[in-house]
Amino acid sequence: AVYLHTDQGLYLLDFANSDISPVIDFNVAVSLSQTVVRNTGRPEVWNGMLYLPRGHALIEFHYSGSWRDISFLSQAKLPEALKVNTSSYIGAISASDQWLFIGVSTAAKNSVWAYDGEGYHYIWSVSSIGDTGQTHSLRDIQVFHDATLGLDQLHVVYDNSGTHVMKRLDYVLSDPVETTAKPYEAAGILVTPWFDAGMTDVDSVILASAIGFQDVDASETIKVETAVN
């Protein structure tokens, strides 16, 4: 089957009958409270699915005809810096054998995330406004595979007030214990997905939690916090 991706939706091309059939109408499928600011990025095939970025939405399409919106911009709770507004959109997507990389642009920040089929992992970000007031907007993501290390390398392209800038991200999602050349911050914050056991309407009580760590010495501190809605 041959599909056509346009601003208005996804279409199936029937060459035998010189016909074109609508499969997904973006005007119906993408429920946005405001107008899509731009046509956002090319589609990508990953793990047997077709992924279609459109405004806040990221449509996951199966050739059987089923589809769903998996974008955390339109479907999930967000950090304050990623709150949805009229300038928020999926700016680019690209895939490796293990990950679907997603570039998100908002009024405050441009960021890159990795989707594994279940959730999103934060990779990198840059402010939407540079130190001298220039505007940054994410344009493209290219994935290169380092065969020697067996790791993905990302080339992220963003616009810097009319000039395209390329940022290379090495050793993406690698284990810093096993990748000695990978730099990492001395401190950071890990925000895990919201967990509700599929029962959002039921009042719940946290009785206990357990977390395991590796290679933590006496000079390092880990603080665990739990958020409730």
Side-chain angles (χ1 to χ4, degrees), residues 164-185:
H164 284 182
V165 177
M166 192 275 288
K167 173 70 175 181
R168 190 180 73 184
L169 306 177
D170 294 317
Y171 313 120
V172 176
L173 294 169
S174 61
D175 187 342
V177 176
E178 298 178 357
T179 311
T180 57
K182 180 177 181 177
Y184 56 92
E185 298 291 340

Side-chain angles (χ1 to χ4, degrees), residues 183-195:
Y184 56 92
E185 298 291 340
I189 299 174
L190 172 65
V191 180
T192 62
W194 288 78
F195 175 75

